Amino acid sequence: MLVPGLLLSVYPSRDGGGLGWVGGSEDAFSEAQSGAERGGAAAASTPDYGEKKLPQALIIGVKKGGTRALLEAIRVHPDVRAVGVEPHFFDRNYEKGLEWYRNVMPKTVEGQLTMEKTPSYFVTNEAPRRIHSMAKDIKLIVVVRNPVTRAISDYTQTLSKKPEIPTFEVLAFKNRTLGLIDASWSAIRIGIYALHLENWLQYFPLSQILFVSGERLIVDPAGEMAKVQDFLGLKRVVTEKHFYFNKTKGFPCLKKPEDSGAPRCLGKSKGRTHPRIDPDVIHRLRKFYKPFNRMFYQMTGQDFQWEQEEGDK
Ligand SMILES: Nc1ncnc2c1ncn2[C@@H]1O[C@H](COP(=O)(O)OS(=O)(=O)O)[C@@H](OP(=O)(O)O)[C@H]1O
């Protein structure tokens, strides 16, 4: 098997942990507590009985991969209870201790799984070791997406908050004339999935990690959810009847046939219009990612077919 040895030292990050000024995802704990996007109302509907437990499954990444869509869909399952906001325990809040973490979790009853999602875990060096020391048998889910589109999505998020930042084309290169991509820019570095996965495989066998296609999660949400439920050892309760394609939103949205409640689409920060990026830059980025994508396909035994995509949106 082709393993990207020493990739971490070859591609150091400009900002230490893959986040830096580009910012984390938008569902962070502190933001959500102060009233930003809460990502669903499941917390409010969590019954006030049962026990708070440490999670048995985590959505660990990737940022802008479709992690919120996946979490909201799996939360429809009656045997899953998940915290709506991102606890960021294994990166930013680790010193607060496991009791703090447990307390963040919703109460569960016998037979229910506790889950959370924090997409930055996938690119946090310490996360695999820390998670392993909490629970060796934990199940890990990674939603991956074409790294070129992911980078543009990441940039679009930053641009929406800081309109004054340089263009994507400027940030993507160390030296554009020489065609040198800036792999230390977190928007680009996060997409070198093989690099980050190598770190996880030091602690967890591949069988404990499920890779969900971010692209398929949009075109066939029920199909991807079937894989997720099988992986988690759950009955296939979340199916076609829980999704409908909302033409205005341009994405699948959730409906709960068992409820009379209104269908639910994700908020405005999910599914933003991306700025137009110079096709030459996209071409160079595709070339840059190609060997890493290949490594990733070999490591996971899955071909995500990112090279065959015509467009990047
Ligand atoms: N059902 C549905 N509704 C809306 N958006 C959807 C959906 N499924 C996947 N996606 C894609 O999810 C992208 C955001 O990914 P994340 O939720 O992982 O972002 S974050 O890291 O938590 O900020 C988001 O990226 P952008 O389109 O670039 O905004 C979407 O493409």
Side-chain angles (χ1 to χ4, degrees), residues 25 27 64-69 117 145 153 252 270-272 274:
S25 65
D27 315 327
K64 306 319 290 178
T67 57
R68 172 56 62 190
K117 78 116 177 162
R145 178 182 187 186
S153 172
K270 310 293 177 187
R272 290 188 179 101
H274 295 177

